[in-house]
Amino acid sequence: MNQEPTADEPDTLRLVHLIRAVTVEFGLRQSDFAARNGMHPTDVRALIRLLDAARADEPATAGLLGARLGLNSAGTTAVIDRLERLGHVARVRDDHDRRRILLRVEPAAIRLGREFFGPLIGGVFQVLDGFDPAERETVRRFLTATHAVFAPEPRP
């Protein structure tokens, strides 16, 4: 499979191939992180989904995590149990509804992620520093619309 676009490809197809190349490389870095830390690649995706929920101020329940990962109840429980055993996630009672259990990414897991992914994110920041605000807005609009193509259904 050719990772580099060729000169005779239409520009839009070259962009699609570049998106694919970036997502493949990011997936490989996620797998490296998982392997180095005794995790399954799904565990890393779970942590990302939980961090995304926290940034969006959404209550992170097992149901939400399962829906976002496309897992059934048993699969979701297995992921949460693994992450809890590793000390990356804690189950905590919701302050507003004591019957509900929320999932929280532990600070040590956040530090671990920053140590590994921080240099990559720093590299992306350096790339973005070369773009003016209007160009960054164009990139944001493009990535937001592209994301909607891959995740067209609203997530719970």
Side-chain angles (χ1 to χ4, degrees):
M1 209 187 295
N2 186 5
Q3 291 281 333
E4 294 297 316
T6 61
D8 60 340
E9 284 181 314
D11 191 45
T12 52
L13 187 57
R14 292 176 72 189
L15 288 173
V16 169
H17 288 174
L18 284 169
I19 292 169
R20 183 189 63 205
V22 169
T23 59
V24 166
E25 290 302 323
F26 189 65
L28 291 171
R29 298 299 79 74
Q30 287 177 327
S31 293
D32 290 345
F33 177 78
R36 289 181 187 191
N37 293 288
M39 299 165 65
H40 187 278
T42 300
D43 299 343
V44 179
R45 288 191 295 275
L47 287 172
I48 291 168
R49 293 299 196 177
L50 291 172
L51 291 169
D52 289 346
R55 267 192 303 283
D57 202 28
E58 292 178 287
T61 62
L64 177 123
L65 182 61
R68 299 233 169 127
L69 292 174
L71 296 175
N72 63 23
S73 180
T76 303
T77 299
V79 169
I80 295 167
D81 288 347
R82 281 194 306 267
L83 290 172
E84 190 174 42
R85 272 193 308 277
L86 290 167
H88 298 318
V89 167
R91 288 175 167 107
V92 295
R93 291 218 178 268
D94 185 339
D95 289 334
H96 303 293
D97 180 352
R98 301 293 293 161
R99 297 168 296 172
R100 185 163 71 161
I101 302 297
L102 301 176
L103 304 170
R104 179 186 66 218
V105 178
E106 294 289 63
I110 295 170
R111 278 192 303 277
L112 196 63
R114 283 188 181 143
E115 288 170 7
F116 185 89
F117 292 104
L120 296 170
I121 293 168
V124 173
F125 283 177
Q126 286 180 327
V127 169
L128 288 170
D129 284 346
F131 290 74
D132 66 40
E135 290 172 317
R136 285 194 300 273
E137 175 58 18
T138 299
V139 170
R140 186 199 62 75
R141 283 188 316 114
F142 172 73
L143 291 174
T144 299
T146 301
H147 180 255
V149 170
F150 285 92
E153 298 298 319
R155 303 285 184 180

